Each structure stands twice: as structure tokens, then as C-alpha cells.
Amino acid sequence: MLETVRGPRQLIVGEGVAQNIPRVVAESGSRVLIVTDQVLLEQPGVAEIVAAVREKVEVVEVFSDATPDVPLADVAVAVAVAAEMDADVILAIGGGTVIDLAKIVGVIRRHGGTPRDFYGESRVPGPTIPLVAVPTTSGTGSELTPVSVLTDPDRELKVGVSSVHIVPDFAIVDPELTYTCPATVTAHSGIDAFCHAVESYTARPRAHGPRDPVEQVFLGRNPITDHYALLAAERIARSLRRAVRDGGDTDARADMSYGSMLAGLAFSHAGNAAPHALQYPIGAATHTPHGLGVGLLLPYALDAARDAISDRLATLAGVCGLDVTDASDAEAADSFLTWLDGLLADIGIPPTLAEIGVARADLPRFAEMAGGVTRLIQNHPGPTDTASLTAILEAAWAGDRTRHVLTPSGDGGGRSPSR
């Protein structure tokens, strides 16, 4: 047995726990940079947190110009603000963009250089300045994870900085901060969290040597990540529709916060897989939300790997509330994928890549690019050669899950559309 579990120094989750933020920040440093965005800064709950921190901490500066997908220009400006005020602690209040930005700012603040110096796995040389992460959405799990995803204008796909040293020191997860999250953001972030859970649970298991848990970030599934992933899937499956339909459903919001948190713990070790790798070039090309992209791709990637994971898809069917007591694994897997199609439709995720502006001619190129995202694609339980990844994209472009089946000529075959 050789495994590892990663997470913050302290995780605090539950309604009302945001009141602890000023004390936690003050105990971590005396010069705090608050990273957020303009929309959130106007929310009463966030404004109250900022005011409370100002009363508790000696020096406070607010960087509220975070923009989607963490462009390198945002990083440069935020790093300059942190340097000018000599920040010794960062408080991130927001979604994945905000927290990912705060992570890379902390890296550069402590170690210098530019984001490009840290692309890839385990290239951050040591701990960063303390980071307190407070999510305002239920989805990315960034408050718990060792990953910061950035947009580099010189590259055709998003890039990741992955290191155990960028896991936030404190994660304060208060569902009350998600109550004002718009329905579309709730849908996109929520299905992202469900993808984290499912991709973790179906990730390819890998054998490890003693140095691997230190030198690598994503290591494949294990019994601990399975536990977190199934609990996350159960909560999200029963509450995502409700949270999208009624943002004031406090029980659904609590489930989504808790589910997102558990899914983050799962993929911090197990890792994400093909849906995330394929979304990188597609998201960069179409400028569509991350959660929309991974949600759209999830059923096609799972269907393509079903021979290797039918038993796990069957387990997910039961966890998500489907009656598969007397079904075979293959039948239960079918039931799960059909249910997933319905969930995606109900929350407004488009069924095809064509609908989000992807050109069919670009699919082989996107597949080749995704195949180069080794830290993710190595977790996919099915074939990961360019032809197989292209077949997944062909299926997603046409809206026909069966098109991932390769004919002798290498072209996708298929029946009538599945979605």
C-alpha cells in the first residue's frame, strides 16, 4: 500500500463559518492582499467580509480586477499590487478564477519569476505565502486543490501549475456565500464538480514508487478518493437541478457546497481525465465556460471507456438514485449515461460541440493537443491515442455517443444520436 491524501491545513465548512475569516487571516499575517472580482465586491456578503478584515488586519489592499480564466496579464498586475504593499498573506474570495489567480500570485510572491517558470507538475520549489481561500461558487474545488489553471496568450490551450505547495492553507466553505450565484454559473460550476467526482472515481489506477507521491501531483484513484468521489456524486446528483432551479433552496446549496468540497478532495489525488484535457483546447478556441465544456464532454468520454469501467458506472448509477438492483453492470452503465444525458439537458448544457462553435475540421488537432496534457490524459481509463480521442470528439460533435467506436478505417461509426 502506498497512497497519499492532500488538503488544506484546515477546512472549515458550514453555514455561517465565514465569520471566522478575519481571525484566520489575522493569525496568518498582518499585510493582506484580498483577491476578488468587481461583481463579487458589490455583493453584501463579500463587502461585509472585506470590511471585517479591514478592522482586524493592519494593512489591507483589494485587487478586484480578476477576469475569467486567469489571463497572464491579470497575474502581472496582481503580483505588482502584492509587491507594492509587501503582502504576507492572501485572502481569495470568489470562484475558481479568483482562487487560481491567488495561488499563482502567492507562488511568485515567495519564489519570484513568472508563471511560465512553474508550468507543469511539481515545479514550485517550496511553500508560498499563506493563502485563505473562500469559494463563492460550488464547483471548481480550487480552495482544496494543488492546481492553478491559467490562460497564456502564446499557447492554444490553457496551462496548469500543479504542486502540493499551492494547496491553500485554509479553506472556508460557507454555502451562504453561494446563495446569490446566478443559475447559469450554478449550472456550469455544479456540473464541473460532478465531473471532478466522476472522473476521480473512474480514473485509471496506477502503481507507485516511494518517490511518486512527492514528485507527482495526480496519481490515479485509490480507496480514499473513491470514498470522497461517491459521497460527492450522491450529493450533487440529488441537488444540482434544485440549486439551478431555485438558488434560494438552502438544502440544495448546502449539498452543492459539500459535494464540491468532497470532489475537490477526490481529484486532488486521483486527478481529472479526458473531459478536462479535451476541454482545454476547446475552451481556449470557443471561449466557452469551463464547466459547460467538461459537462458536455463527460458522457462521451465515459461511453468510450465503458468496457473498462462498466462496474464503476453501475455503482455511480446506484449512488445517483437509480434503481439498478437487478441490472447487469452493462445495463446499469446504460442507465447512468442516459440519466446523465437528462441531467445535462435539464441544467442547460448543450449536447454537441457543434452547438458551441467547434469546427469539425479542428477535432483531430484538438485531440492531439489534449493528448499532450499528460497529467490529465494519463488518468483516462480508455484508449488515449489521437485516433481514439478524435473519435470521442467526433461523437460529441455529432451528439451520438456510439460514434466513439472506431471502424477498421479509423473513422467513427455510429447509430442515431444519443443526446
Side-chain angles (χ1 to χ4, degrees), residues 179-332:
Y179 290 174
T180 57
C181 188
T184 300
V185 177
T186 299
H188 294 165
S189 61
I191 200 62
D192 188 23
F194 191 72
C195 288
H196 294 158
V198 173
E199 289 176 56
S200 296
Y201 186 64
T202 57
R204 184 192 301 273
R206 304 204 301 274
H208 308 308
R211 293 186 62 86
D212 290 340
V214 175
E215 294 181 343
Q216 298 180 39
V217 176
F218 290 160
L219 294 158
R221 71 175 191 250
N222 67 31
I224 299 171
T225 62
D226 284 354
H227 175 71
Y228 288 142
L230 290 176
L231 287 175
E234 178 183 20
R235 286 178 177 263
I236 296 168
R238 75 189 185 197
S239 292
L240 178 52
R241 285 184 178 90
R242 291 164 48 203
V244 172
R245 185 170 58 245
D246 177 10
D249 185 331
T250 57
D251 288 339
R253 289 293 196 185
D255 263 355
M256 291 305 301
S257 286
Y258 203 80
S260 174
M261 177 266 295
L262 290 165
L265 291 173
F267 92 80
S268 289
H269 179 289
N272 296 317
H276 275 71
L278 292 166
Q279 192 277 336
Y280 274 17
I282 289 169
T286 61
H287 303 290
T288 47
H290 169 78
L292 181 153
V294 294
L296 190 162
L297 290 162
L298 180 63
Y300 301 104
L302 293 176
D303 200 290
R306 69 156 64 208
D307 288 347
I309 57 172
S310 61
D311 58 334
R312 290 191 164 249
L313 296 179
T315 299
L316 284 164
V319 163
C320 292
L322 306 180
D323 184 4
V324 291
T325 305
D326 298 321
S328 67
D329 284 351
E331 291 168 338

Side-chain angles (χ1 to χ4, degrees), residues 21 25 32-37 40 46 49-50 53 63 66 89-105 130-136 142-143 168 170-172 177:
I21 294 170
V25 172
V32 59
L33 174 66
I34 299 177
V35 179
T36 187
D37 65 41
L40 286 170
V46 174
I49 293 170
V50 172
V53 171
F63 178 84
V89 58
I90 300 175
L91 168 62
I93 310 173
T97 286
V98 166
I99 298 173
D100 282 3
L101 173 61
K103 287 176 179 178
I104 193 63
V105 170
L131 171 60
V132 180
V134 182
T136 58
S142 187
E143 70 275 9
F170 296 91
I172 299 178
L177 295 177

Side-chain angles (χ1 to χ4, degrees), residues 278 297 300-301 303-304 353 360 363-364 366-368 383-407 410-414:
L278 292 166
L297 290 162
Y300 301 104
D303 200 290
L353 292 176
R360 188 175 185 182
L363 300 183
F366 290 159
E368 184 174 6
T384 57
D385 57 280
T386 299
S388 295
L389 295 178
T390 302
I392 293 173
L393 294 180
E394 285 280 359
W397 191 87
D400 179 359
R401 283 197 266 106
T402 66
R403 287 180 64 91
H404 67 78
V405 180
L406 296 179
T407 66
D411 297 325

